[in-house]
Protein backbone atom coordinates (compact mmCIF):
# COMPACT_ATOMS: atom_id res chain seq x y z
CA UNK A 1 0.00 0.00 0.00
CA UNK A 2 0.99 3.59 -0.54
CA UNK A 3 0.25 6.62 1.60
CA UNK A 4 -1.97 7.89 -1.20
CA UNK A 5 -4.03 4.68 -1.15
CA UNK A 6 -4.11 4.53 2.66
CA UNK A 7 -5.38 8.13 2.90
CA UNK A 8 -7.98 7.42 0.23
CA UNK A 9 -9.20 4.33 2.05
CA UNK A 10 -9.40 6.28 5.32
CA UNK A 11 -11.39 9.07 3.68
CA UNK A 12 -13.81 6.44 2.35
CA UNK A 13 -14.15 4.92 5.86
CA UNK A 14 -14.89 8.32 7.42
CA UNK A 15 -17.33 9.21 4.65
CA UNK A 16 -19.23 5.95 5.10
CA UNK A 17 -19.24 6.33 8.89
CA UNK A 18 -20.89 9.71 8.40
CA UNK A 19 -23.42 8.10 6.05
CA UNK A 20 -22.42 10.37 3.18
CA UNK A 21 -22.22 9.68 -0.52
CA UNK A 22 -19.20 10.88 -2.49
CA UNK A 23 -21.41 13.67 -3.77
CA UNK A 24 -22.27 14.81 -0.23
CA UNK A 25 -18.60 14.86 0.80
CA UNK A 26 -17.68 16.71 -2.37
CA UNK A 27 -20.30 19.35 -1.69
CA UNK A 28 -19.22 19.77 1.93
CA UNK A 29 -15.58 20.12 0.84
CA UNK A 30 -16.31 22.31 -2.22
CA UNK A 31 -14.85 19.68 -4.55
CA UNK A 32 -16.19 17.68 -7.50
CA UNK A 33 -17.60 14.23 -6.71
CA UNK A 34 -15.45 12.54 -9.36
CA UNK A 35 -12.39 14.02 -7.66
CA UNK A 36 -13.47 12.43 -4.36
CA UNK A 37 -13.78 9.09 -6.15
CA UNK A 38 -10.23 9.43 -7.46
CA UNK A 39 -8.94 10.33 -4.01
CA UNK A 40 -10.67 7.34 -2.41
CA UNK A 41 -9.24 4.98 -5.02
CA UNK A 42 -5.77 6.40 -4.47
CA UNK A 43 -5.63 7.65 -8.06
CA UNK A 44 -5.20 11.29 -7.04
CA UNK A 45 -2.16 12.77 -5.37
CA UNK A 46 -4.04 15.42 -3.42
CA UNK A 47 -2.54 18.62 -2.11
CA UNK A 48 -2.49 19.58 1.54
CA UNK A 49 -4.99 22.32 0.70
CA UNK A 50 -7.44 19.75 -0.67
CA UNK A 51 -6.83 17.43 2.26
CA UNK A 52 -7.56 20.33 4.58
CA UNK A 53 -10.91 20.90 2.83
CA UNK A 54 -11.85 17.25 3.30
CA UNK A 55 -10.82 17.28 6.97
CA UNK A 56 -12.86 20.45 7.54
CA UNK A 57 -15.87 18.84 5.84
CA UNK A 58 -15.67 15.87 8.22
CA UNK A 59 -15.06 18.15 11.20
CA UNK A 60 -12.53 15.74 12.69
CA UNK A 61 -8.98 16.28 13.90
CA UNK A 62 -6.43 15.96 11.09
CA UNK A 63 -4.87 12.96 12.78
CA UNK A 64 -8.05 10.97 12.02
CA UNK A 65 -7.12 10.92 8.33
CA UNK A 66 -3.90 9.10 9.20
CA UNK A 67 -5.32 6.39 11.46
CA UNK A 68 -4.57 3.39 9.29
CA UNK A 69 -5.93 0.30 10.97
CA UNK A 70 -7.71 -2.68 9.60
CA UNK A 71 -11.40 -1.93 9.26
CA UNK A 72 -12.74 -3.45 12.44
CA UNK A 73 -15.98 -3.18 14.30
CA UNK A 74 -14.16 -1.14 16.95
CA UNK A 75 -12.82 1.34 14.36
CA UNK A 76 -16.26 1.64 12.77
CA UNK A 77 -17.87 2.27 16.17
CA UNK A 78 -15.29 4.94 17.03
CA UNK A 79 -15.76 6.60 13.64
CA UNK A 80 -19.52 6.60 14.10
CA UNK A 81 -19.16 8.14 17.55
CA UNK A 82 -16.87 10.84 16.15
CA UNK A 83 -19.31 11.70 13.38
CA UNK A 84 -22.27 11.76 15.78
CA UNK A 85 -20.69 14.48 17.90
CA UNK A 86 -18.76 16.37 15.21
CA UNK A 87 -21.61 18.80 14.47
CA UNK A 88 -22.23 19.60 18.14
CA UNK A 89 -21.11 22.69 20.02
CA UNK A 90 -18.23 22.59 22.47
CA UNK A 91 -20.67 22.74 25.36
CA UNK A 92 -22.70 19.83 23.99
CA UNK A 93 -19.54 17.76 23.47
CA UNK A 94 -18.53 18.47 27.07
CA UNK A 95 -21.96 17.31 28.28
CA UNK A 96 -21.75 14.15 26.15
CA UNK A 97 -18.27 13.46 27.52
CA UNK A 98 -19.54 13.80 31.09
CA UNK A 99 -22.40 11.39 30.37
CA UNK A 100 -19.99 8.95 28.72
CA UNK A 101 -17.73 9.03 31.78
CA UNK A 102 -20.69 8.25 34.03
CA UNK A 103 -21.83 5.38 31.79
CA UNK A 104 -18.30 3.94 31.64
CA UNK A 105 -17.95 4.19 35.43
CA UNK A 106 -21.27 2.34 35.83
CA UNK A 107 -20.14 -0.30 33.32
CA UNK A 108 -16.85 -0.76 35.17
CA UNK A 109 -18.72 -1.23 38.46
CA UNK A 110 -21.03 -3.83 36.90
CA UNK A 111 -18.26 -5.88 35.32
CA UNK A 112 -18.15 -4.14 31.95
CA UNK A 113 -21.68 -4.54 30.68
CA UNK A 114 -25.29 -4.04 31.59
CA UNK A 115 -27.82 -6.83 31.80
Amino acid sequence: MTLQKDVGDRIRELRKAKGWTQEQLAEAASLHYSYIGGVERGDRNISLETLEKIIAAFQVPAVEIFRFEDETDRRKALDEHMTLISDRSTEEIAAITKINREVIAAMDMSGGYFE
Side-chain angles (χ1 to χ4, degrees):
M1 287 260 176
T2 65
L3 181 60
Q4 199 169 302
K5 179 70 173 133
D6 288 341
V7 168
D9 287 344
R10 186 67 181 130
I11 289 170
R12 180 182 298 112
E13 289 173 10
L14 290 171
R15 176 180 60 77
K16 288 183 175 184
K18 200 158 184 80
W20 282 357
T21 64
Q22 288 180 345
E23 291 83 3
Q24 289 169 311
L25 173 56
E27 183 177 328
S30 300
L31 299 167
H32 194 271
Y33 73 90
S34 65
Y35 188 84
I36 296 295
V39 168
E40 288 185 357
R41 289 189 304 277
D43 296 341
R44 296 279 190 161
N45 187 13
I46 64 175
S47 69
L48 291 176
E49 182 180 339
T50 301
L51 188 58
E52 188 174 38
K53 288 179 179 182
I54 292 170
I55 291 167
F58 284 137
Q59 297 181 341
V60 297
V63 69
E64 286 300 318
I65 295 294
F66 299 101
R67 290 196 194 275
F68 308 129
E69 300 172 14
D70 291 332
E71 193 169 335
T72 63
D73 290 340
R74 176 181 167 77
R75 180 81 250 156
K76 286 180 186 177
L78 289 170
D79 287 346
E80 183 177 0
H81 181 75
M82 180 69 76
T83 59
L84 283 172
I85 66 170
S86 66
D87 293 333
R88 299 298 178 170
S89 70
T90 303
E91 294 79 17
E92 290 172 320
I93 292 172
I96 292 167
T97 301
K98 181 179 177 189
I99 293 166
N100 283 343
R101 283 191 182 117
E102 292 172 4
V103 169
I104 290 168
M107 290 173 69
D108 289 346
M109 289 176 51
S110 69
Y113 58 92
F114 293 108
E115 293 187 38

